[in-house]
């Protein structure tokens, strides 16, 4: 499990590799996904997201408190 924080008014460039195979819980706050075509998709605390393979440019926090995302994924299998 990884915790990612986006500060109020802040944004984070979407890196698909960072979210590969992870289910993401928006633990606290609000997040907007800025899609490649310019559309916005808004999410709030308690929402569950899948960010792997989506045409997203950035994650943006429009709120007044930090947005906290929990990325939950399997451990890599030993080789």
């Amino acid at each position: 499990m990884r915790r990612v924080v986006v500060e109020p008014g802040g944004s984070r460039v979407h890196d698909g590799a960072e979210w590969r195979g992870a289910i993401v819980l928006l633990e606290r706050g609000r997040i907007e996904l800025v899609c490649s075509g310019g559309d916005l998709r808004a999410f709030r605390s308690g929402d569950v997201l899948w960010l792997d393979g989506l045409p997203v440019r950035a994650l943006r926090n429009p709120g007044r408190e930090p947005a906290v995302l929990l990325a939950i994924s399997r451990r890599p299998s030993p080789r």
Side-chain angles (χ1 to χ4, degrees):
M1 181 171 67
R2 287 183 303 110
R3 177 170 277 145
V4 175
V5 177
V6 181
E7 295 300 326
S11 65
R12 180 184 184 94
V13 173
H14 180 275
D15 176 3
E18 179 179 28
W19 307 103
R20 189 164 292 126
I23 294 173
V24 181
L25 170 66
L26 183 50
E27 181 182 48
R28 183 173 52 152
R30 298 182 339 177
I31 281 289
E32 293 176 339
L33 299 183
V34 181
C35 300
S36 296
D39 293 338
L40 294 177
R41 300 288 184 248
F43 299 91
R44 62 178 190 226
S45 181
D47 286 343
V48 176
L49 309 158
W50 180 262
L51 300 174
D52 188 0
L54 295 180
V56 174
R57 284 194 316 226
L59 288 78
R60 184 168 63 187
N61 179 355
R64 295 183 180 186
E65 67 174 315
V68 179
L69 300 112
L70 298 179
I72 303 159
S73 58
R74 292 182 183 178
R75 288 191 174 116
S77 58
R79 294 183 180 219

